[in-house]
């Protein structure tokens, strides 16, 4: 189910985006840590059955790659739960994504374990939404939503590694590191530390430091390059930036045109310069994230909402089927009535022939084929006869169900 409301939780505040027929627009919010969420919750209560999703863009997001042997579904889920509990013991907001088989061991899979090590603001927000009984479907991060950016925007001849870099609304930089098509790690650089827009030399140094943070054994160079997808960067001409480069032979800079990038991603509007928040909010409506941090207890109202929606759809389908069946039965009844009229005419004809035969005024006996046709017609009529009470009973049972 597509979310109508998306709450964007960053390190400095919370913003509520609502779907307005063609795009998401900000309608409410509050600052952290002392802001008042009453207006946001009040806005959500106006549409209590609308699905809500949460995007968490904070510093305290951790990722760890591991392997998993080939197991059955139940054993696999149990082992993933144990790995997550051991990796992130201080938080319940954790998720795992299976990233495919290992090339040298087809009996094992590579997995990515992700967790939010500090989730106090998220927990408070979830408690408010649960108190209002609002259906929360998904809790994810921009890193778990970055795979479509990689698939749609990377160059024709991609390098083995890719960095997806986006400028967020508060001025920070969000970096997501991929090896092949698999997410390795992600981090947020505060506005006070992030390279200002257009300062590619400083950005290259920060990216080199980030790559060592993600994978200490990976050294970017001319023979081992990294593709850098720079999105939502304000005041930068895409063509000029690509021609200028970053001044580092290990980083190949790609700055997609905002209109072309939006077209490839299936978005209606161009990417907004300096506001990567809207980009990930839009992606959440069109693509499925790689993981869901939402706890089962916090998704109970969403599951109840799903049951109600599917139940209504099932009732409508059953009612439509019952009415269709009633229409078909009505057609069958009309056909049976026509057949009855023909049979009655045949009975009258046979009776007159028998009477004439007994009186000695006509041919001796009736046509045996005609008698056989009459008997068969009566059997069909008794077999397909449907009483009106039965039809109404079927419709009533379908509506009750």
């Amino acid at each position: 189910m597509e979310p109508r409301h998306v709450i964007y939780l960053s390190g400095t505040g919370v913003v509520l985006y609502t779907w307005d027929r063609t795009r998401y627009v900000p309608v409410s919010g509050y600052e952290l840590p002392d802001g008042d969420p009453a207006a946001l919750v009040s806005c959500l209560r106006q549409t209590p059955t609308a699905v809500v999703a949460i995007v968490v863009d904070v510093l305290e997001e951790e990722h760890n790659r591991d392997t998993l042997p080939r197991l059955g579904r139940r054993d696999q889920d149990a082992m993933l739960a144990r790995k997550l509990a051991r990796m992130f013991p201080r938080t319940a907001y954790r998720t795992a994504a299976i990233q495919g088989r290992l090339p040298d061991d087809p009996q094992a899979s590579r997995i990515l374990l992700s967790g939010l090590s500090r989730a106090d603001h998220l927990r408070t927000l979830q408690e408010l939404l649960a108190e209002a009984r609002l259906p929360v479907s998904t809790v994810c991060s921009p890193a778990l939503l970055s795979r479509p950016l990689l698939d749609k925007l990377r160059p024709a001849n991609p390098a083995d590694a890719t960095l997806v870099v986006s400028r967020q609304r508060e001025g920070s930089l969000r970096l997501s590191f991929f090896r092949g098509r698999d997410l390795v790690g992600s981090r947020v650089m505060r506005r006070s530390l992030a390279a200002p827009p257009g300062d590619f030399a400083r950005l290259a140094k920060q990216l080199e430091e980030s790559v060592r943070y993600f994978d200490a054994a990976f050294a970017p160079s001319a023979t081992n390059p990294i593709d850098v997808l720079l999105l939502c960067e304000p005041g930068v001409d895409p063509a000029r930036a690509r021609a200028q480069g970053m001044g580092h032979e290990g980083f190949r800079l790609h700055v997609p045109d905002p209109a072309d990038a939006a077209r490839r991603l299936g978005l209606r509007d161009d990417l907004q310069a300096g506001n990567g928040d809207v980009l990930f909010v839009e992606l959440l409506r069109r693509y499925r994230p790689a993981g869901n941090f939402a706890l089962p207890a916090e998704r109970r109202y969403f599951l109840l909402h799903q049951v109600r929606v599917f139940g209504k759809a099932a009732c409508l389908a059953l009612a439509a089927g019952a009415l269709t069946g009633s229409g078909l039965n009505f057609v069958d009844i009309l056909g049976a009535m026509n057949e009855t009229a023909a049979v009655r005419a045949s009975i009258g004809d046979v009776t007159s022939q028998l009477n004439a035969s007994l009186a000695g005024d006509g041919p001796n006996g009736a046509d045996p084929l005609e008698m056989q046709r009459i008997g068969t017609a009566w059997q069909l009529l008794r077999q397909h006869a449907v009483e009106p009470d039965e039809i109404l009973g079927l419709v009533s049972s379908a509506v009750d169900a």
Side-chain angles (χ1 to χ4, degrees), residues 92-302:
Y93 293 99
R94 49 205 183 199
T95 184
I98 298 178
Q99 297 183 332
R101 301 292 183 189
L102 293 175
D104 54 348
D105 186 3
Q107 298 301 317
S109 299
R110 182 182 291 111
I111 59 175
L112 180 71
L113 306 176
S114 306
L116 302 175
S117 57
R118 293 179 58 188
D120 298 336
H121 297 305
L122 174 60
R123 186 178 298 106
T124 302
L125 177 62
Q126 286 282 64
E127 291 174 355
L128 293 173
L129 298 178
E131 184 180 353
R133 297 185 178 182
L134 296 170
V136 179
S137 63
T138 306
V139 178
C140 65
S141 67
L144 301 179
L145 282 166
S146 297
R147 175 68 176 273
L149 300 174
L150 180 76
D151 294 338
K152 302 292 184 180
L153 302 181
R154 68 177 179 173
N157 298 316
D160 177 65
T162 306
L163 269 170
V164 178
V165 184
S166 61
R167 182 76 61 173
Q168 307 304 88
R169 180 178 57 86
E170 59 185 18
S172 60
L173 282 176
R174 159 68 68 169
L175 290 74
S176 298
F177 185 58
F178 289 83
R179 293 296 302 271
R181 300 175 70 243
D182 296 331
L183 178 66
V184 174
S186 182
R187 67 184 300 198
V188 178
M189 301 189 67
R190 301 178 187 269
R191 178 181 180 180
S192 58
L193 300 176
D199 191 351
F200 295 132
R202 183 176 175 184
L203 179 61
K205 294 180 180 179
Q206 292 181 344
L207 295 185
E208 189 173 13
E209 176 189 351
S210 299
V211 170
R212 288 197 298 268
Y213 170 79
F214 295 133
D215 188 349
F218 192 96
S221 63
T223 57
N224 193 26
I226 297 178
D227 289 324
V228 178
L229 293 177
L230 188 59
L231 306 173
C232 302
E233 188 74 355
V236 174
D237 179 41
R240 183 178 179 182
R242 289 192 294 267
Q244 177 183 351
M246 300 185 63
H248 190 295
E249 61 182 4
F251 295 107
R252 302 192 307 197
L253 181 62
H254 306 277
V255 185
D257 180 77
D260 180 63
R263 180 186 58 80
R264 293 188 188 182
L265 293 170
L267 308 181
R268 292 179 178 268
D269 299 327
D270 298 350
L271 303 189
Q272 297 185 16
N275 193 350
D277 301 14
V278 177
L279 169 60
F280 291 106
V281 169
E282 295 278 357
L283 290 177
L284 184 58
R285 183 177 177 87
R286 290 165 174 80
Y287 300 96
R288 184 177 180 180
N292 192 350
F293 290 120
L295 304 178
E298 295 173 345
R299 298 181 74 244
R300 61 185 182 276
Y301 293 113
F302 172 69

Side-chain angles (χ1 to χ4, degrees), residues 43-56:
C43 184
L44 290 174
R45 279 177 172 168
Q46 296 177 9
T47 53
T49 60
V51 177
V52 182
I54 301 176
V55 178
V56 184

